[in-house]
């Protein structure tokens, strides 16, 4: 699965780049310094920056952190997904805090799906509070971000933290979330 995900990202970027010589060189490069230069060099295309950040992130090179966080909150969901994948493997202690800030930023909520999913995967101290906050805001009448709300419900169920119980119980009143909320609540241990 991991290899397939990596191959899908590289194939998408290869198509975006037009399989140029530059793409082939960056995709094959084992030189992390060469990749890191691409992150800050002027005039580099977006696909090259994403490729460099993704490869560095998978390699655990923290120079990719800032670029990956920018891609995590990108309007293109495929870029957000690849950044989430790389950030989860990067091992940078700032990742959960950055993902929580992006997930709870109401000005960027349209792009919060991948930060929410990353918080679930990280299972960090910031995860449950950020998911609860984001879900609470999504429970307003006529909120258009149901995919984000559903990801919060599913994430809170996965994390199984009792602090999520009140907001998940409120989610039961929302038809689009009710089934997932029942499932999530079933995964949270009852407090005695």
């Amino acid at each position: 699965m991991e290899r397939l995900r990596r191959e899908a990202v590289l194939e998408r970027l290869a198509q975006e780049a037009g399989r140029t010589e530059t793409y082939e060189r960056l995709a094959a490069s084992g030189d992390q310094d060469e990749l890191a230069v691409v992150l800050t060099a002027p005039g580099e295309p977006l696909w090259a920056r994403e490729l460099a950040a993704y490869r560095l992130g998978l390699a655990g090179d923290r120079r990719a952190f800032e670029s990956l966080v920018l891609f995590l909150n990108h309007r293109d969901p495929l870029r957000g997904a690849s950044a989430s994948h790389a950030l989860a493997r990067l091992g940078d202690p700032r990742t959960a805090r950055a993902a929580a800030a992006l997930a709870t930023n109401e000005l960027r909520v349209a792009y919060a799906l991948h930060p929410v999913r990353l918080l679930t995967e990280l299972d960090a101290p910031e995860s449950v509070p950020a998911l609860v906050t984001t879900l609470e805001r999504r429970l307003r009448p006529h909120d258009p971000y149901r995919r984000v709300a559903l990801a919060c419900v599913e994430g809170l169920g996965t994390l199984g933290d009792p602090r999520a119980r009140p907001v998940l119980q409120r989610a039961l009143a929302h038809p689009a979330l009710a089934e997932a909320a029942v499932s999530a609540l079933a995964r949270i241990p009852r407090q005695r």
Side-chain angles (χ1 to χ4, degrees):
M1 179 69 162
E2 184 81 19
R3 194 181 97 250
L4 291 175
R5 182 179 296 175
R6 187 175 58 246
E7 287 174 4
V9 170
L10 295 178
E11 179 60 29
R12 175 180 57 80
L13 292 172
Q15 289 178 7
E16 188 176 331
R19 295 195 187 277
T20 61
E21 182 180 317
T22 303
Y23 169 82
E24 297 298 338
R25 180 178 46 79
L26 291 175
S29 178
D31 183 352
Q32 291 181 353
D33 290 336
E34 177 186 15
L35 293 172
V37 166
V38 173
L39 298 178
T40 57
E44 291 291 347
L46 192 58
W47 64 261
R49 292 184 195 284
E50 182 183 358
L51 176 61
Y54 182 75
R55 295 212 44 235
L56 288 168
L58 293 182
D61 188 321
R62 292 185 180 172
R63 292 178 288 183
F65 176 77
E66 287 84 5
S67 295
L68 288 171
V69 169
L70 289 173
F71 285 121
L72 180 65
N73 199 233
H74 198 276
R75 68 181 176 270
D76 180 343
L78 294 175
R79 293 196 199 289
S82 70
S84 178
H85 180 244
L87 281 164
R89 281 129 196 93
L90 180 60
D92 192 301
R94 301 171 291 175
T95 299
R97 190 171 53 247
L102 293 174
T104 59
N105 182 343
E106 278 299 291
L107 298 176
R108 302 286 295 173
V109 69
Y111 313 115
L113 183 61
H114 295 293
V116 164
R117 289 181 176 160
L118 178 58
L119 284 166
T120 302
E121 186 173 353
L122 294 173
D123 190 6
E126 297 87 349
S127 296
V128 170
L131 295 181
V132 166
T133 297
T134 302
L135 180 56
E136 284 174 343
R137 294 172 180 167
R138 305 287 60 84
L139 296 179
R140 296 182 199 134
H142 312 293
D143 185 85
Y145 305 108
R146 286 292 165 220
R147 290 184 65 210
V148 173
L150 184 58
C152 288
V153 169
E154 293 169 347
L156 290 168
T158 297
L159 297 173
D161 190 304
R163 294 175 293 172
R165 188 172 291 285
V167 74
L168 289 171
Q169 288 172 331
R170 288 195 302 281
L172 292 170
H174 297 264
L177 304 174
E179 186 178 335
V182 167
S183 177
L185 283 164
R187 298 176 77 179
I188 296 175
R190 290 249 177 233
Q191 292 180 327
R192 300 186 195 273

